[in-house]
Amino acid sequence: AHAEIQQELTRQVFEAESTFAHTMMARHPKAFASHVALDAVFFSRAGVLRGKAAVLASWQRFFEGPDAPFSWMPEQVEVLESATLALSSGPVRDPAGNQIATFNSIWRREPDGHWRVVFDRGCPVCESAEKK
């Protein structure tokens, strides 16, 4: 039963990350916002973005125009045994489909039962390629 619970939680987070990623492709900033925790911390080239409002303000530019500037999809998801936090990771791709980075997101299961991103950080693709 324990393995089945872990499998179900992993599926939930994989689905949450996939839905989150789809908001960029669908050009839907309000749906994007619904996946970001109020106290989220996102790392960006401009520095650390603290809080949902700062994240949304910074990411607004990525939703301008008809085409997404990048896309991402989870490849790996791990959930803590406590079922409260999870890590998702995978490739970030440019519009041509080339991998340009790797993302790492920490998801927290909120009191309402929804998983939301609390930490998000990308790293250049060459860094992760060297570690393999």
Side-chain angles (χ1 to χ4, degrees), residues 36-126:
V36 179
L38 283 174
D39 55 349
V41 174
F42 278 44
F43 295 84
S44 75
R45 288 187 184 137
V48 178
L49 305 169
R50 293 190 177 278
K52 183 174 183 170
V55 170
L56 299 182
S58 179
W59 277 63
Q60 184 60 42
R61 69 187 190 277
F62 298 137
F63 287 93
E64 292 165 3
D67 300 316
F70 56 86
S71 64
W72 72 94
M73 282 304 286
E75 276 186 350
Q76 186 173 19
V77 171
E78 293 292 338
V79 181
L80 286 185
E81 214 166 291
S82 64
T84 54
L85 291 175
L87 169 74
S88 63
S89 183
V92 179
R93 300 186 185 280
D94 68 15
N98 301 306
Q99 186 174 350
I100 53 172
T102 300
F103 77 86
N104 295 284
S105 298
I106 305 293
W107 292 77
R108 179 177 63 208
R109 193 160 66 167
E110 305 274 281
D112 65 6
H114 287 91
W115 289 92
R116 291 196 175 83
V117 180
V118 287
F119 288 100
D120 180 83
R121 183 171 203 150
C123 66
V125 76
C126 57

Side-chain angles (χ1 to χ4, degrees), residues 1-48:
H2 176 73
E4 289 167 11
I5 292 167
Q6 280 297 110
Q7 194 173 6
E8 171 57 20
L9 292 168
T10 300
R11 187 199 62 75
Q12 286 176 15
V13 176
F14 192 93
E15 196 172 287
E17 182 72 71
S18 299
T19 304
F20 186 46
H22 183 71
T23 66
M24 177 65 69
M25 298 308 291
R27 321 305 291 136
H28 204 310
K30 283 192 175 125
F32 174 88
S34 73
H35 289 83
V36 179
L38 283 174
D39 55 349
V41 174
F42 278 44
F43 295 84
S44 75
R45 288 187 184 137
V48 178

